[in-house]
Amino acid sequence: MIIAVPFAIGLALFISHYAPRRIAVPVAYVIDILAAVPSVIYGLWGARTLAPASHGLQTWLNAHLGWIPLFGGQISATGRTMLIAAIVLAIMVLPISTAICREVFQRTPKLLEEAALGLGATRWEMIRYAVFPHARSGMVAGMMLGLGRALGETMAVAMVLSASPQVTFKLLTSDNPATIASNIAANYQAEDVRIQTVLIATGLVLFVFTFLVNFVARAIVARSERRFA
């Protein structure tokens, strides 16, 4: 989400308030098309193309930012790391978050925008003081929907990561912990009853966490709507 949110908001603003129509329409169309791409395609692209191509970048991050725990450790030779999985998920989250932000930006009353510009505000000041407050609840909803897709994504993560049983927060090593969804997909055929029990329990944890994320998002949206009612 750290990667996806700035790009989603920036693209939505570019399409709704900055780009001329002859450019905004094709860009919006391409972003919407990305939502229809199957997750298997993202997984194949991440594992076969992005991971090898990003090995130099990962080496640079490890050499210059290795003192930060996230970028420390022995980097993976294959490039199939948590960083690449995060980038792939960010690209998958981008279409839905961008589409929702674009819609709420375009629904800002024109009178508010014209009033801000008439008072001498620049375009950015108009967006900051008129568009963002009005669209706050929609922006939160878009980000939470994107997070919901990322939490439940299975195949792309399973194809990119070389998962191991170790738990680590290092983004560039070959010791990559599996996500809950990818772990269930990889082990659901296990015959051991204990493994099946663990998978059911982890699925329940994923459900509860997703429910809490959506509950918090709805609370933020409701609070914002009451504020601007």
Side-chain angles (χ1 to χ4, degrees), residues 1-14 86-87 89-102 105 132 136 138-148 150:
M1 296 307 295
I2 292 174
I3 300 172
V5 169
F7 279 100
I9 295 176
L11 279 172
L13 282 177
F14 175 76
I87 293 174
L89 287 179
I91 296 173
M92 297 179 68
V93 165
L94 195 62
I96 185 170
S97 299
T98 302
I100 294 176
C101 288
R102 184 185 72 228
F105 289 161
F132 281 167
R136 184 175 301 168
M139 292 168 62
V140 173
M143 298 308 113
M144 291 299 105
L145 284 174
L147 178 59

Side-chain angles (χ1 to χ4, degrees), residues 50-117:
L50 183 60
S54 66
H55 190 267
L57 173 62
Q58 296 187 54
T59 303
W60 185 91
L61 290 172
N62 180 258
H64 293 82
L65 299 176
W67 54 274
I68 301 176
L70 289 175
F71 302 110
Q74 181 66 36
I75 65 171
S76 173
T78 62
R80 296 168 61 183
T81 61
M82 286 196 290
L83 177 63
I84 300 305
I87 293 174
V88 171
L89 287 179
I91 296 173
M92 297 179 68
V93 165
L94 195 62
I96 185 170
S97 299
T98 302
I100 294 176
C101 288
R102 184 185 72 228
E103 290 297 324
V104 296
F105 289 161
Q106 291 176 340
R107 291 187 179 183
T108 303
K110 293 299 180 182
L111 288 177
L112 290 179
E113 297 182 0
E114 293 172 357
L117 293 174

